[in-house]
Amino acid sequence: SSGIKEEYGYIALDVEKEAALPELPIERRYELPDGQIITIGRERYEGPEILFHPSLVGLESDGLHMMLYNSISKCDIDLRTDLYKNIVLSGGCSMLPGLGYRLRKELAGMVPRSVSVEITEWEQRDYMVWRGASILSDLHSFSSQWISQQEYDEHGPRIVHRKCL
C-alpha cells in the first residue's frame, strides 16, 4: 500500500548502521484496509533502499545516485559544478524522508571535494511535474505542440512524435 510508504517509509543515511539497531525503535503498527494489523520494522528503510541499489530486487540498473552522477558527467565540464549545486527533487518518491540527505552523501563521495552538492526539496515537490507542465502549456510559444483530442483520435500516439519531437 502506498499509505505504508507515505506514512512509515524513509531513506536510511547509513544502511549498515540502521541495520545494526535493535528492531524495536523502528517498528510501527499499520492497519490494512481489511482491518488486519501488521508490524513493519526494517522494511521501512529496506524497501526504499531499492532506489540506491536496484540489485536488491534483481534489477541490473544503476541506483539513483549513479544515474544522476552519470548524467551530469555527460554534460559539458564547465556546467557540472553548477549542475551539482542545483539538484531539485520532485515526484512522489522524493517525499521519502532522508532522500535528499542520502543523495547528497552519496554524490559528495563521488565528486571532488571542491564541488558542492546542493539538493533542493520543496515542500510540494510531489506535484512539481504537474505544475511545470501546467506552466509550459500556458506559454504561447508552446501552443504549436499542443495536441487536440481530435488530432490524437485521428493519428494516435504517432502525433506526439510528429508535433513534439
Side-chain angles (χ1 to χ4, degrees):
S1 170
S2 65
I4 295 172
K5 177 186 87 170
E6 293 164 0
E7 204 169 324
Y8 296 121
Y10 67 95
I11 304 287
L13 186 60
D14 184 332
V15 176
E16 290 175 14
K17 196 176 197 179
E18 202 78 15
L21 291 173
E23 191 76 27
L24 287 177
I26 61 171
E27 281 187 349
R28 298 290 185 272
R29 294 168 52 87
Y30 184 83
E31 184 174 349
L32 297 172
D34 67 359
Q36 180 182 355
I37 305 287
I38 61 170
T39 301
I40 56 172
R42 298 191 192 292
E43 299 86 356
R44 294 179 60 206
Y45 67 86
E46 287 176 343
E49 186 61 21
I50 295 164
L51 293 171
F52 291 89
H53 295 100
S55 61
L56 292 171
V57 292
L59 296 175
E60 293 183 25
S61 176
D62 287 332
L64 183 60
H65 61 300
M66 285 301 302
M67 286 190 274
L68 187 53
Y69 176 81
N70 290 337
S71 293
I72 292 176
S73 294
K74 290 178 182 176
C75 295
D76 187 275
I77 196 163
D78 295 331
L79 298 175
R80 294 179 194 168
T81 300
D82 286 336
L83 291 172
Y84 280 115
K85 280 199 264 187
N86 291 288
I87 297 169
V88 177
L89 296 182
S90 69
C93 284
S94 74
M95 300 299 289
L96 284 164
L99 180 62
Y101 294 113
R102 174 72 179 280
L103 195 52
R104 186 178 297 107
K105 175 189 166 197
E106 298 289 343
L107 288 171
M110 300 166 76
V111 300
R113 290 185 190 263
S114 61
V115 175
S116 173
V117 176
E118 296 176 28
I119 297 178
T120 301
E121 299 176 90
W122 285 316
E123 191 173 315
Q124 304 245 329
R125 61 190 172 274
D126 50 340
Y127 299 109
M128 284 178 54
V129 173
W130 293 104
R131 286 184 181 172
S134 171
I135 292 167
L136 183 62
S137 69
D138 278 346
L139 298 175
H140 180 67
S141 59
F142 186 70
S143 63
S144 65
Q145 295 178 322
W146 292 348
I147 299 170
S148 70
Q149 182 68 51
Q150 180 183 352
E151 288 175 303
Y152 188 85
D153 290 343
E154 187 176 326
H155 301 284
R158 292 186 318 267
I159 191 70
V160 174
H161 296 283
R162 191 159 30 130
K163 288 191 82 173
C164 301
L165 303 176

